[in-house]
Amino acid sequence: MVNCPECDAEIKVPADSIEGEIVTCPDCGASYELTKAANGGFGIKPAEVVGEDWGQ
């Protein structure tokens, strides 16, 4: 479990999660990407939002 940097709510990380998976804060709705932590668990970083590319 990790805390949301935006609102400090607890974000539950499923046991079968993998690095790079996106998790969402249940309170504020912010999206984060899971990263490997030094202790063998997971950390989070803000997920990159990719806009639509209409070929322009």
Side-chain angles (χ1 to χ4, degrees):
M1 202 171 309
V2 294
N3 286 357
C4 176
E6 292 290 323
C7 68
D8 204 39
E10 290 184 349
I11 301 173
K12 293 180 181 172
V13 179
D16 61 347
S17 295
I18 58 172
E19 185 176 14
E21 192 170 332
I22 303 296
V23 293
T24 304
C25 176
D27 287 359
C28 71
S31 295
Y32 298 98
E33 182 178 340
L34 293 176
T35 60
K36 289 278 186 188
N39 65 1
F42 286 105
I44 57 173
K45 68 177 185 178
E48 292 184 30
V49 178
V50 179
E52 297 238 1
D53 180 8
W54 294 97
Q56 298 174 349

